[in-house]
Amino acid sequence: MKLEKVKINNFCSCQSVEFELDGYSPIVGYNNSGKSNILKAINWLLKKSVLSQSSFFDINTAITIEGEVSNVNLQLLPDNQQPAVAQYLNNGLLKFRRRQDTPQTSAAQIRIDVFDFNNNNWVANPAGLDNSLALLFPEPIYIEAMKDASDDIGKFAAKNTIGLLLKYTLDQIRQNNAAALQSLENALQTVENHLSGQNRINEFSAFETQATSAINNFFPGISLHLNLAAPSLDDLIKSASIDLSEQTGQIRNFSSYGHGAQRSVQMALIQLLAIQIQNLQLNLPTVVLLIDEPELYLHPQAIEILSESLVLLSKQNFQIIFSTHSPLLASQEKILNTSIVFKEQNQTKVRQKLGVATSVLNNHPHQTSTIFSLQHSTYLLFSEKVFIAEGKTEKMLLPEIYRILKNRTIGHDKTCMIEAGGSDSIFPIMQVLSQVGYKPKAIVDLDYVFKKGPSEQFINPQTNQDFIDCKDWFQQNQATQGFNLGTDGFPCKGGSI
């Protein structure tokens, strides 16, 4: 079961954005392109909250966020809820949306609609659908980039990383350590007896008597009863918090460590969570894990380990959707699932995923490898414009020429340069980039213009007047200038030049 597609309307910078998701879905783009807004939108789709006016792209239009879930597992629902959802499935696909019509509204007015494939229309707020979705897709784990990692790791919560880890640990205790569990429950029962049972501490009863007497001075006939309940094992787990220690042995609270240490521990425990779920082979509903810049504060080696951990999680009961500025998390083998985000006229846009261009990529494997090498993808994935240069000389000179002419670097203009590694690769690279929504330019020399331009249909040699004039000039000046012409009418080796 997986969230296959999301369509975002009127949310923050996303006036209208639609994109497909996979189990492992990196979202890349330059700063302020809208990556975090996409994660927030998915989080809101799966977890209802009241959105403020600042979340509306246009305050006069409703926010709607649509999701399509494939391979819906009705067995996760109680028997009485299964028919209500089954009637809206289309070959296992469920299409639903969350809607908030105006900024000034209450939680009760936020609607959940489902698409009726039989009648080809939206059905407003079917009874019980919100509860059913919560069972199919539990509350997502959303880790924001600048948020304190201690919210996810430092203390227990039902849906955060440490909470899930402790839940699985408790399940293992119940399965594998019945004697210890029984001993603990006996001890808790002893506590319960001292608080309110047959061995109750006298001072508690005395307090009730004194308090009842005091109340009766004002309201005769009313008695006070002190309700003291011993915690259960689940209650003790929920009170857990995390501390860390170093080689000195000094134990410190998790939140007292720096951001780098906190983030490293957080990602390490996410990796552990993946391994535990894999080992337990649990049949659980899909949990969507949303992470804004998981590489934040991590060194390169840790980012590589993190990448493999997230991939492992995505093969279990987790769907991993994250924004990143690290090409290590969107490397060539993962690039097909990557959504490239950019802004156009102040609106977030998403380029077509490379996965839909597999035929073009497969036809040009060398050029694809060149484009999405670490050297190039470091810049390409976070740029808005791209130009292609033939070789090393151009790569060395053109950025410096640009800087001198513009008094800024090409990176300042959200532009990336790709070295083609030879003229034969220019056209295939342009094809690959065009297929996924870029509008690439190529800077070439006249040899490319005359020899390859016509065959690759950049230039019509019969109608392009500049082309015709150049060719005529070669014919007219061959003898006086001392160069040779080939059978195609263009200069070739030999002669005095």
Side-chain angles (χ1 to χ4, degrees):
M1 195 167 61
K2 185 172 62 180
L3 189 60
E4 293 273 1
K5 185 184 291 186
V6 170
K7 185 174 182 181
I8 305 170
N9 296 304
N10 202 44
F11 182 83
C12 296
S13 61
C14 303
Q15 185 187 37
S16 180
V17 174
E18 184 174 351
F19 56 97
E20 296 180 351
L21 295 166
D22 212 300
Y24 180 93
S25 297
I27 301 173
V28 303
Y30 51 79
N31 287 336
N32 196 38
S33 57
K35 302 185 298 298
S36 297
N37 289 339
I38 290 174
L39 295 182
K40 291 175 184 175
I42 297 173
N43 185 57
W44 186 73
L45 172 67
L46 300 175
K47 179 185 175 184
K48 180 171 70 173
S49 63
V50 177
L51 300 175
S52 65
Q53 181 171 316
S54 62
S55 296
F56 284 70
F57 183 88
D58 177 359
I59 60 172
N60 298 311
T61 304
I63 289 177
T64 61
I65 301 177
E66 302 173 17
E68 293 186 14
V69 180
S70 62
N71 302 316
V72 171
N73 183 3
L74 291 176
Q75 301 305 312
L76 295 170
L77 300 176
D79 292 342
N80 63 325
Q81 290 186 22
Q82 291 181 20
V85 175
Q87 64 179 313
Y88 296 113
L89 295 184
N90 181 27
N91 294 322
L93 182 72
L94 179 68
K95 184 175 177 180
F96 67 100
R97 71 182 180 189
R98 196 176 295 281
R99 173 167 54 91
Q100 181 173 327
D101 294 334
T102 62
Q104 289 78 29
T105 191
S106 65
Q109 292 175 302
I110 296 174
R111 304 300 182 189
I112 190 85
D113 302 334
V114 65
F115 191 76
D116 185 347
F117 288 96
N118 294 322
N119 297 307
N120 200 35
N121 63 353
W122 288 99
V123 178
N125 216 34
L129 182 64
D130 222 343
N131 293 332
S132 297
L133 286 172
L135 294 173
L136 293 172
F137 271 93
E139 184 177 311
I141 300 175
Y142 180 28
I143 301 173
E144 298 179 59
M146 302 308 293
K147 197 170 184 179
D148 194 338
S150 62
D151 289 342
D152 183 49
I153 296 297
K155 54 188 176 182
F156 178 96
K159 302 297 182 181
N160 68 3
T161 301
I162 195 62
L164 290 171
L165 282 167
L166 290 175
K167 175 184 178 297
Y168 297 137
T169 300
L170 185 55
D171 289 341
Q172 289 176 298
I173 292 172
R174 289 187 171 118
Q175 292 176 15
N176 306 326
N177 207 334
L181 185 62
Q182 186 60 55
S183 176
L184 181 58
E185 288 180 346
N186 289 341
L188 291 174
Q189 184 59 53
T190 299
V191 173
E192 177 71 25
N193 288 336
H194 283 302
L195 292 177
S196 57
Q198 58 187 7
N199 296 323
R200 193 181 199 197
I201 297 172
N202 292 332
E203 282 76 5
F204 290 140
S205 298
F207 167 75
E208 284 185 344
T209 301
Q210 293 165 2
T212 296
S213 176
I215 291 171
N216 281 330
N217 290 330
F218 293 89
F219 299 99
I222 293 179
S223 299
L224 180 143
H225 301 278
L226 184 62
N227 183 21
L228 292 171
S232 66
L233 179 55
D234 285 353
D235 293 329
L236 293 175
I237 292 292
K238 290 175 183 177
S239 67
S241 62
I242 298 297
D243 296 329
L244 300 175
S245 67
E246 300 178 63
Q247 293 178 345
T248 60
Q250 180 185 5
I251 298 176
R252 291 162 48 199
N253 184 266
F254 179 84
S255 61
S256 69
Y257 281 78
H259 292 304
Q262 287 190 25
R263 197 69 161 181
S264 297
V265 171
Q266 181 183 39
M267 295 304 153
L269 291 180
I270 286 174
Q271 180 189 35
L272 176 62
L273 182 61
I275 294 170
Q276 284 205 1
I277 292 172
Q278 184 181 42
N279 292 339
L280 292 171
Q281 297 181 335
L282 299 172
N283 181 25
L284 298 173
T286 300
V287 175
V288 174
L289 176 57
L290 304 165
I291 314 180
D292 209 349
E293 299 181 43
E295 75 278 6
L296 205 62
Y297 309 116
L298 299 183
H299 57 78
Q301 291 88 346
I303 294 174
E304 290 186 22
I305 296 171
L306 168 65
S307 176
E308 296 311 310
S309 301
L310 294 178
V311 170
L312 179 60
L313 263 178
S314 71
K315 294 176 181 176
Q316 309 307 318
N317 294 87
F318 283 79
Q319 184 170 3
I320 313 300
I321 307 169
F322 63 95
S323 68
T324 181
H325 287 125
S326 172
L328 293 172
L329 290 173
S331 56
Q332 188 170 338
E333 64 272 18
K334 305 179 184 79
I335 200 71
L336 295 181
N337 297 333
T338 299
S339 297
I340 304 173
V341 176
F342 66 102
K343 259 189 180 175
E344 189 174 80
Q345 296 179 342
N346 229 24
Q347 296 179 28
T348 294
K349 304 287 184 181
V350 180
R351 299 192 192 280
Q352 197 167 23
K353 290 175 72 170
L354 293 172
V356 304
T358 50
S359 60
V360 174
L361 303 183
N362 291 337
N363 289 337
H364 306 294
H366 172 70
Q367 287 79 16
T368 299
S369 179
T370 297
I371 294 171
F372 298 109
S373 66
L374 186 61
Q375 172 191 5
H376 286 136
S377 63
T378 300
Y379 301 98
L380 173 65
L381 296 178
F382 310 100
S383 298
E384 188 171 313
K385 296 171 282 189
V386 56
F387 71 88
I388 304 158
E390 185 174 334
K392 297 188 185 313
T393 304
E394 291 87 350
K395 183 182 178 184
M396 180 176 65
L397 292 175
L398 289 174
E400 186 63 14
I401 292 170
Y402 191 98
R403 187 188 66 79
I404 292 170
L405 290 174
K406 297 281 194 177
N407 199 30
R408 59 182 182 270
T409 67
I410 61 173
H412 275 96
D413 287 336
K414 300 174 183 174
T415 302
C416 165
M417 182 181 74
I418 290 178
E419 177 195 341
S423 60
D424 288 339
S425 292
I426 289 176
F427 184 56
I429 286 177
M430 294 189 79
Q431 282 188 301
V432 171
L433 291 171
S434 298
Q435 187 73 24
V436 294
Y438 286 98
K439 297 177 181 178
K441 307 287 186 185
I443 297 176
V444 299
D445 56 25
L446 286 177
D447 182 58
Y448 184 95
V449 173
F450 296 138
K451 301 297 180 71
K452 291 187 173 293
S455 65
E456 292 173 348
Q457 299 182 345
F458 288 124
I459 289 176
N460 186 331
Q462 309 303 322
T463 60
N464 188 290
Q465 194 58 48
D466 291 330
F467 189 96
I468 295 168
D469 289 347
C470 284
K471 195 168 184 178
D472 288 345
W473 187 92
F474 291 139
Q475 292 286 348
Q476 295 164 10
N477 291 276
Q478 174 192 4
T480 56
Q481 298 292 336
F483 56 83
N484 290 348
L485 293 181
T487 55
D488 57 2
F490 291 110
C492 63
K493 291 181 179 179
S496 60
I497 298 180

